[in-house]
Amino acid sequence: MDIEEIAKKVTLKDLRPIAKEHGIRTSCVKKIDIVKQLPEDVLEELAGRE
């Protein structure tokens, strides 16, 4: 699953706490930009969610 598909699948409400854990800014940033900054292991976990 690529980054765009993950960004479409995950809601911003679910993404914010994950981004905060990794020190990624969440205000005034698009969801796709947050997803691009996440580590690879977190992306795999998000891709596995259904």
Side-chain angles (χ1 to χ4, degrees):
M1 187 175 283
D2 64 343
I3 292 175
E4 290 83 17
E5 291 175 356
I6 294 171
K8 287 179 184 178
K9 190 170 106 173
V10 179
T11 64
L12 191 56
K13 186 176 183 179
D14 294 335
L15 196 58
R16 267 199 184 111
I18 297 168
K20 293 278 186 188
E21 287 177 14
H22 296 284
I24 299 169
R25 199 178 93 171
T26 58
S27 63
C28 300
V29 179
K30 293 180 182 178
K31 186 166 56 168
I32 187 74
D33 295 330
I34 295 171
V35 173
K36 286 180 181 177
Q37 295 178 42
L38 289 173
E40 193 68 34
D41 59 335
V42 176
L43 292 176
E44 290 174 4
E45 180 183 324
L46 290 174
R49 283 189 190 177
E50 290 290 331

